[in-house]
Amino acid sequence: MTKVYNFSAGPAVLPEAVLQEAAAEMLDYQGCGMSVMEMSHRSSAFKGIIDQAEKDLRDLVGIPENYRVLFLQGGGSTQFAMVPMNLMRGIAVGGADGSVGHADYIVTGTWSKKALAEAQRFGDARCIATSVDTNFDRVPDMANIQVNADADYVYICMNETVNGNVLRELPDTQGKPLVADMSSCFLSEPIDVERYGLIFAGAQKNVGPAGVTIVIVREDLIPEGDLPGVPTMMQYRTHADAGSLYNTPPCYAIYICGKVFKWLKSQGGLAGMQKTNQDKAALLYDYLDKSNLFRGFVRPQDRSLMNVTFTAGDELDAAFVAEAKARGFENLKGHRSVGGLRASIYNAMPVEGVQALVEFMREFEAHHSCSSQSI
Ligand SMILES: Cc1ncc(COP(=O)(O)O)c(C=O)c1O
């Protein structure tokens, strides 16, 4: 078997132990005589899988009773629409009285920018702070955030996957519900759920395969009754009332997520994972800070622990990606919209993978510094 270290931003590396367990159960899940992929989502075996997954997630994160956990489809991008469709009050009342909803967005990178544009289709979504002027090499100072009195919610993207920055402090929302896209940092560290009204995360980065999106939403924010004009599948109420089984859910993806939750518990839970993630990121950032060739994109205090964005300079980035690939380091190219390099070092990336990458970067630097000196 070819062993590579996969630094993909998502779909991304999964814990090997989880993949091995899934492989062992592939043809016969616990004596059912069939694969989880073949199972009815109404079967008692699948009910056991989804209930256990929710229970383990609740234990792991410490999700309070008054929050609902939903396993949905459509990725983070669908949440960009579902959030305003359900949480903007103008929509919840059907705009019948001509009212529109309002929301405040903090734009710190590619994904919050997209989320804002999507929300603008549904109501008065405004950018109240952004670091676009410096190409998202930082996040705005949370102490200066001014939330509008009429905002139905305040929106953040906790970890900007493309740009490599993270919010370490939360804005003071003046009591408005805080909505957080945690797609690329979910379960990488402890979460104080009560500080949020709604959290969502596409699973394919830190939690499981593509296909399932996890939503944790405070019960009182799920609109009661039907939302006129909003498709049934786009209403949180539909999925909350049906225990995420209104229609066929992404069964196999939920099953793998359940295994990842158990794996996370075995790694010391979210606090244990946070420590490992800090150590891994420090290896890479310490090297970047000392390097004469490589340079990180994000200022130190706002650097993501999950997505490390950097460059060796326009001339050398492509060579780095190619040489790295030949050595078994996959997917180090930066997002196509920003270029450069990116190493995504999610929960399942072993520390050995980061150590090996740093070692390779050292070699690459030595080699390329020599060749530039000899020119
Ligand atoms: C932070 C963040 N939000 C949203 C998305 C969009 O997710 P999806 O591709 O699942 O729609 C991504 C995708 O990479 C992301 O990184």
Side-chain angles (χ1 to χ4, degrees), residues 68-86:
R68 302 296 297 266
V69 173
L70 310 177
F71 295 103
L72 306 183
Q73 304 195 50
S77 304
T78 299
Q79 292 311 306
F80 295 168
M82 276 181 87
V83 164
M85 282 177 141
N86 286 267

Side-chain angles (χ1 to χ4, degrees), residues 231-295:
T232 310
M233 280 292 288
M234 299 294 278
Q235 300 191 25
Y236 290 127
R237 171 63 52 205
T238 303
H239 302 286
D241 284 353
S244 302
L245 291 169
Y246 170 74
N247 71 326
T248 316
C251 302
Y252 198 78
I254 293 169
Y255 156 76
I256 297 288
C257 287
K259 290 199 179 298
V260 172
F261 302 153
K262 287 205 187 296
W263 178 80
L264 283 166
K265 284 182 164 182
S266 77
Q267 304 296 301
L270 301 189
M273 216 58 247
Q274 179 178 38
K275 169 81 178 71
T276 312
N277 287 329
Q278 284 167 340
D279 292 348
K280 282 190 305 191
L283 284 172
L284 204 38
Y285 285 123
D286 287 351
Y287 171 67
L288 286 175
D289 287 341
K290 290 189 196 113
S291 171
N292 291 316
L293 179 67
F294 294 99
R295 178 176 60 80

Side-chain angles (χ1 to χ4, degrees), residues 163-174:
N163 313 87
N165 66 47
V166 68
L167 283 177
R168 293 226 154 74
E169 276 173 43
L170 297 181
D172 174 0
T173 63
Q174 306 288 325

Side-chain angles (χ1 to χ4, degrees), residues 74-77 80 111 157 159 161 181 183-184 204-205:
S77 304
F80 295 168
W111 296 110
C157 176
N159 185 85
T161 325
D181 174 359
S183 294
S184 48
Q204 69 272 21
K205 293 155 198 308

Side-chain angles (χ1 to χ4, degrees), residues 9-11 74-80 110-112 114 155 157-162 181-185 200-205 210-213 307 335 342 346:
S77 304
T78 299
Q79 292 311 306
F80 295 168
T110 303
W111 296 110
S112 39
K114 275 201 157 183
Y155 183 102
C157 176
M158 202 74 176
N159 185 85
E160 281 284 0
T161 325
V162 170
D181 174 359
M182 290 196 189
S183 294
S184 48
C185 60
F200 71 84
Q204 69 272 21
K205 293 155 198 308
V212 61
T213 306
N307 310 101
H335 190 268
R342 173 175 57 176
Y346 297 122

